Amino acid sequence: MLFTLLSDRFFTAANLGGIADQTSILLVMAVGMTFVILLGGIDLSTEGVMATSSMVVVLLAANDRNDNDFGLLAVLAGVGVGAIFGLVNGVLHTRLKIPSFMVTLGVGAIGMGIATVLFAGRAPRLLDEGVRSWGLGQWFGLSKLVFIALFIVLIGYGIQRFTRAGRYAYVIGGDEAIARLSGISIPKYKTLAFVISGSAAGLGGAMASMRLGVGDVQIGAGQMFATITAVVIGGTLLAGGRGGVLHTVVGALIIATLANGLILVGVQPYIQVSLQGAIIVVAVAATGWHLRNRTRVIK
């Protein structure tokens, strides 16, 4: 309502379609991140995974750097790279008992290093028209990326609602000790959650390259914080055990709408980042307020 009053360009069909487009990549990554946060963990490797995936997709599809032309298989390779990063995160976290924030921060840095090596000083351009059309084309007036995001939401909700992995995520995130006593294989489901998150980040990197037409080390810059903010502001507890994919959809829409509205009313980008930081602090405090007197493990 506020943005509608402040800008006559906000509540228009074109701008609402733009918001849906801006939400798509964020939503894909936030759905993946939701499973890790539900378990009480965190995945800070998002930007590194996106960078590597972006470079892999462009260098395997038709490009101006080499003779590769694997078409949409390049996109699958990018998602696979993300899954491998997620697997490494999960194995290191569960087998070596390293806190998730430390493992994923290190793995994310490795991802940035690999992407920098592949970058080789010049951004490769994506020349595959078939792959590029997924980033630029439209269906029913909306970007194809929006439909990819909706498909990922359906898959994420299906995993959360109808699979053992989804149900156990709430048990493990709610109380890991009880989950262990119940015989749940915690390392298995935690590793799976990181694989889902890594795959989503890999797809996010591929989608960003399809939209921009280049592979870039910095293609995921700023996405990690926005992704975590979308999950938390949607109502998923950072301590785990509560929330879900549909909550994340609401959170991602709020973040994208806020960013769009602030741009239209002329707010500077650095103030937008500060505002996102304030929002995540308030959201964490608000969602955990009723639990402040309980004995909970903060992970």
Side-chain angles (χ1 to χ4, degrees):
M1 290 294 293
L2 177 63
F3 292 131
T4 303
L5 294 174
L6 294 176
S7 173
D8 56 4
R9 292 183 297 164
F10 180 76
F11 197 70
T12 62
N15 190 53
L16 294 179
I19 291 175
D21 186 27
Q22 292 165 18
T23 307
S24 58
I25 296 176
L26 172 64
L27 182 55
V28 166
M29 294 188 299
V31 167
M33 180 75 78
T34 301
F35 288 93
V36 174
I37 293 182
L38 269 178
L39 290 164
I42 196 75
D43 186 353
L44 304 182
S45 64
T46 301
E47 294 177 359
V49 174
M50 284 187 73
T52 304
S53 171
S54 165
M55 295 301 303
V56 167
V57 170
V58 175
L59 290 176
L60 289 181
N63 65 86
D64 64 351
R65 179 80 68 79
N66 56 45
D67 296 327
N68 290 330
D69 187 8
F70 292 97
L72 289 176
L73 288 178
V75 177
L76 293 179
V79 177
V81 165
I84 292 172
F85 273 104
L87 181 63
V88 172
N89 280 331
V91 170
L92 292 177
H93 171 54
T94 58
R95 302 302 175 184
L96 301 183
K97 308 296 183 185
I98 304 173
S100 58
F101 81 93
M102 184 57 72
V103 169
T104 55
L105 198 60
V107 171
I110 293 172
M112 293 298 289
I114 295 173
T116 302
V117 171
L118 295 174
F119 187 75
R122 182 170 65 89
R125 290 191 300 130
L126 179 62
L127 303 180
D128 190 312
E129 294 299 327
V131 175
R132 193 75 204 283
S133 68
W134 282 91
L136 299 177
Q138 292 189 338
W139 285 330
F140 309 110
L142 292 174
S143 167
K144 291 181 180 180
L145 297 181
V146 174
F147 294 92
I148 294 176
L150 292 176
F151 180 64
I152 296 302
V153 168
L154 289 176
I155 292 177
Y157 181 72
I159 293 173
Q160 173 203 305
R161 182 72 176 77
F162 301 110
T163 70
R164 187 174 297 176
R167 294 191 293 272
Y168 283 175
Y170 289 95
V171 181
I172 297 171
D175 196 320
E176 196 167 311
I178 291 178
R180 186 175 292 107
L181 289 173
S182 301
I184 296 174
S185 176
I186 295 174
K188 172 183 173 183
Y189 291 108
K190 280 192 171 182
T191 301
L192 179 59
F194 278 105
V195 170
I196 293 173
S197 180
S199 302
L203 179 57
M207 292 168 70
S209 283
M210 288 189 287
R211 173 187 284 166
L212 299 175
V214 295
D216 194 342
V217 178
Q218 296 299 322
I219 206 159
Q223 291 293 330
M224 178 185 70
F225 191 61
T227 301
I228 296 172
T229 305
V231 176
V232 173
I233 200 174
T236 299
L237 289 180
L238 270 177
R242 295 189 185 183
V245 170
L246 296 185
H247 292 74
T248 296
V249 174
V250 176
L253 284 171
I254 291 174
I255 293 298
T257 303
L258 187 63
N260 178 274
L262 291 175
I263 290 172
L264 288 181
V265 298
V267 175
Q268 297 296 322
Y270 61 86
I271 296 180
Q272 295 178 34
V273 175
S274 300
L275 190 57
Q276 279 190 347
I279 288 173
I280 194 170
V281 171
V282 172
V284 170
T287 54
W289 182 255
H290 63 293
L291 301 173
R292 65 192 185 284
N293 292 325
R294 300 182 184 180
T295 302
R296 290 179 63 85
V297 177
I298 306 300
K299 292 162 276 191

